[in-house]
Structure formats: structure tokens, C-alpha cells
Amino acid sequence: MLLEFSVENYECFRDEAYLSMVLPSLKTQVPKNGQTWESSTSRVAAIFGANASGKSTIIRALVSLNRAIRRPGERLYYPYLLQNPPEPQTTYTLSFTHEQVRYDYRVQADKRGAIALETMHAYPKGTARLLFERRTQEDSTVTVKAGPSLKGATREVNKITQPDQLFLAVARQYGHESLAPIAQTLTRSFSLTNNVSSRRKNTVTLMRQVLDNIGQWEHYLSVLAQVADIGITHIEVDRQELPPKLIHAIGVRDAAGVYFHPSDEDMLEGANAIFMYHRGANRKESRLGLNAQSDGTLSWLALVSQAVVALQRGITLVVDELDSSLHPTLAAELVSMFKNPDVNKSGAQLIFNSHDATLLGNIPMRLLDSPEVWFTEKNDEGASEIFSLEEFDTRPKSNIQKQYLTGAFGAIPTTYMSELRALLEAEQ
């Protein structure tokens, strides 16, 4: 479960950009007796703001850190460039839970491409306990200081960790006794998607879901299609049409217990085996293949299928541009799923950005609470900032949508349409 994330000196963010899922009612580092992490955190974080204000950037920063944990050596230095010279380090901090214990993870990547500093602390009893501190010296030597409670092959991992690699990422690959399970939690607990994905990517996403459990996902996708009222009665997989290489890969794991992943090209070839039945005249149905579906249908099914997995497994789903190719009613329903404790029984979270101000409305009732709403905007110096609606004095029945659109919280564009009109008039 994600608790807090911040990044500094990353692309358009010069100063620290901080996003929190922790409710203001939690005043301590860990919940007190009678409280849980589920009751002390938000299930949703929604980020609003003008174009180029940093909405996607804060998500991209989270993706960058997650990718570097998955694949050692991924770049992490992305400095703010509107000052010369740029600051020498990009800093990430991530607080999360693993087996109900809080962990704080901090990374500083420098302009050499090296990981200058990397630390992790655990809070098993409510007080910070060092697990490890890693530094990369000027001569590119990697040194690791292990905390007393850290068990595993720390020296061996230290020896093979390169200056540009996260120690945690290498420990994950090595199978370090203490750190590998924590790293696995981080890599498996986040599902990252962009709702403006191409048809190709959406098709591949759907195929991977279907092949995970064909019978189950035939049913799931049929229900999800009906929920969106897109004219589809049910979905089926013609197993005879599946390429042999995909059939052999279904349910097969490697020695490490990880499912084999056929290539995207294999997945696209297998898409010919998925058929959707559309309502037609005189109650007749027409069977159309996956490749014959609209962009909107593919976008909805690809996104909501990932939401279903997140809700089942307690994953944090991170979506860039939730409202793209998605009707406001469907976007609101998706958010509601994560906020409904009867649906979201696993503590899953949804983090997204959007231009859809209707999500801030209170008709028929308010969907998003103040701690769940965040805004991004650029200051007078061109640097992006992120801040919470919680910082403003709002009342339960306030029309947040109207206040936002009239600029009460900032985070809306300042337009100069008169200059465009003058330009067009001058050319006539």
C-alpha cells in the first residue's frame, strides 16, 4: 500500500513535490491501537490542473522509480532544466507498507547517472529502524551499511551492485532474504497505465488478462462490457483460434515462479481468437473480432480489467489521464469502485490525473473528499507545484467543481485568446 511519495528536482518540479495517501487524522508514523492502515489512508488520489502543469510528471516520477526497481540501471536523474546549472541530484522518497509494516525508501540519483544515496528504514514497532544505507563514492565504489536486523547476503549483493543500479533492485534479482520480498511487494503492488494508450497496447493488455484465466475473463469482460452499455452482450474466446505458442504459455511459470510472457506480436496474433457479440436488429447478434472494436471499447475494457485485478489483489493502480476516451459517468463509476468498501475489500488504491471537473461535483453527492483531491500548477518562475484541497477552507456542501473552474484553488490555465483572435483577424 502506498503511503507517501515525493520527488525533487525532477523535470518540471524544482522543489519537493509531495503526494500523500495518509489521512490527516493519522498524526503518528504508524496507526495506533484500534486503527489500521486501511482506515488511516485514502483509497483514491485525484490530481487536477492545467495542461503542462505537472499532473503527468508526478506520475511519471513514480513510474521512473518503480521501473528502476524492476530493472537495475534504469535512469533516475531527470533534473529541472529552467535553471543553469541544474541541481546535481534528483531525489525520490517512497513510503509504503509490506506485511502491514511501514517502510521509508529514499533515493538520490546524481548527474553522473550514479545512485549517490539509497536508504531504507522500517517501523516494526512505530520507530524508524535502519535496514540499509548505500552510497556511491566519487571513485564509483559502492558501499553498503547494513542495519542490525537486516538478514541475507548483503555483502554478496554489494559486490555486484553497479554505481547506476539500485541496491534494492539488485537484491531483488539476487533473492536477498530480507530485501527481495520487500522489493517484490513494490514491483507487484503497482499497476501503471496510460488511458491514452494506442489500440495496439490496449489489445495486448486485454490479451494478457484473458490468457491469465480464459474462462474467468470471458465472464469478467462480458460483465464489464455490459456495465458500460456499449452494445455488447457477451465475449468469448475461440480456443481453436489461439496460436499454439500462446496455448502452451497459458499457466506456465518459470523456475522463479514468474509467468512466461509471450511477445506483443504473439499477443496481437492471438487477438483474432477473441470475439464480442453485439446487439443488432430484431434481437439478432453479430459476432465481431477484437480488432473490429472501437477505440472507446478497447480503452474501457483495458482500463477496467486492470482495475478489477487491482481490487482483487490490493494493488495501487496509477492511471495517467483517466478521462481520456472515457465518459464522465464511467470515470465516476470507476472511482466509486475503489471507494466502496463492499467492492474494495483488499485496500486497493487508485491514483489518477484528469481534466474532468465533474468528478469534483456534488450532484447527486460528492464523490471525492478533500484529502483525495490534489492540484498542480506552475508558479511565476515556471516551476510546478502540487498541493492538496485539504489546504483550503471548504465545507461539506461546497460546490468544489464550480470553485475550481472559477479559479478558487488555482491550477487552471490563464488563456490569452484575444491574441489569437487578433492574429486571425489580421490575416483576413
Side-chain angles (χ1 to χ4, degrees), residues 117-146:
L117 176 67
E118 181 184 6
T119 64
M120 180 173 285
H121 291 80
Y123 293 77
K125 302 294 183 182
T127 303
R129 176 187 296 175
L130 177 69
L131 286 184
F132 72 87
E133 178 184 288
R134 168 269 183 83
R135 294 182 182 273
T136 302
Q137 309 300 329
E138 288 296 327
D139 63 358
S140 296
T141 301
V142 176
T143 60
V144 176
K145 174 186 175 183

Side-chain angles (χ1 to χ4, degrees), residues 2-8 16-19 58 61-62 65 90-96 102-108 117 119:
L2 177 66
L3 303 179
E4 299 168 324
F5 175 70
S6 70
V7 67
E8 183 177 349
E16 184 182 44
Y18 169 78
L19 177 70
I58 191 71
L62 181 58
L65 181 59
T90 296
T91 302
Y92 306 77
T93 59
L94 180 67
S95 297
F96 60 98
R102 175 185 179 129
Y103 290 84
D104 290 349
Y105 183 50
R106 182 177 178 84
V107 174
Q108 291 181 341
L117 176 67
T119 64

Side-chain angles (χ1 to χ4, degrees), residues 83-267:
Q83 65 181 26
N84 190 21
E87 289 295 318
Q89 294 179 338
T90 296
T91 302
Y92 306 77
T93 59
L94 180 67
S95 297
F96 60 98
T97 63
H98 167 67
E99 296 182 348
Q100 295 299 311
V101 174
R102 175 185 179 129
Y103 290 84
D104 290 349
Y105 183 50
R106 182 177 178 84
V107 174
Q108 291 181 341
D110 65 25
K111 59 184 179 182
R112 300 175 298 168
I115 307 301
L117 176 67
E118 181 184 6
T119 64
M120 180 173 285
H121 291 80
Y123 293 77
K125 302 294 183 182
T127 303
R129 176 187 296 175
L130 177 69
L131 286 184
F132 72 87
E133 178 184 288
R134 168 269 183 83
R135 294 182 182 273
T136 302
Q137 309 300 329
E138 288 296 327
D139 63 358
S140 296
T141 301
V142 176
T143 60
V144 176
K145 174 186 175 183
S149 63
L150 188 67
K151 298 179 181 179
T154 301
R155 291 183 180 179
E156 289 78 359
V157 175
N158 184 15
K159 290 178 181 179
I160 62 175
T161 301
Q162 300 301 308
D164 64 342
Q165 297 176 331
L166 292 176
F167 179 73
L168 183 63
V170 179
R172 171 178 172 266
Q173 289 189 340
Y174 191 90
H176 188 282
E177 180 181 350
S178 297
L179 298 179
I182 298 172
Q184 292 285 23
T185 291
L186 282 176
T187 57
R188 293 176 179 174
S189 295
F190 290 89
S191 179
L192 313 166
T193 187
N194 186 323
N195 201 35
V196 294
S197 298
S198 63
R199 288 182 61 89
R200 174 189 174 94
K201 186 171 182 179
N202 285 331
T203 300
V204 170
T205 297
L206 284 171
M207 282 301 301
R208 293 198 185 280
Q209 300 286 29
V210 167
L211 290 180
D212 186 58
N213 188 321
I214 292 179
Q216 182 183 68
W217 278 100
E218 279 181 321
H219 174 63
Y220 283 176
L221 292 176
S222 296
V223 172
L224 297 174
Q226 293 177 42
V227 166
D229 191 25
I230 51 182
I232 296 174
T233 60
H234 65 283
I235 296 170
E236 70 175 19
V237 178
D238 189 337
R239 291 158 176 78
Q240 301 299 321
E241 294 290 333
L242 282 173
K245 65 182 70 177
L246 292 186
I247 295 175
H248 294 320
I250 296 172
V252 177
R253 297 173 183 261
D254 63 16
V258 178
Y259 279 114
F260 287 116
H261 289 286
S263 70
D264 287 358
E265 295 301 328
D266 292 336
M267 289 297 184

Side-chain angles (χ1 to χ4, degrees), residues 315-354:
I315 291 173
T316 300
L317 178 63
V318 184
V319 184
D320 190 16
E321 300 192 37
L322 177 71
D323 53 321
S324 178
S325 303
L326 206 59
H327 190 277
T329 300
L330 293 180
E333 284 298 325
L334 189 64
V335 173
S336 297
M337 288 166 60
F338 281 83
K339 295 198 61 174
N340 186 337
D342 293 328
V343 175
N344 186 1
K345 299 179 180 181
S346 62
Q349 296 170 307
L350 173 66
I351 300 174
F352 68 92
N353 60 41
S354 176

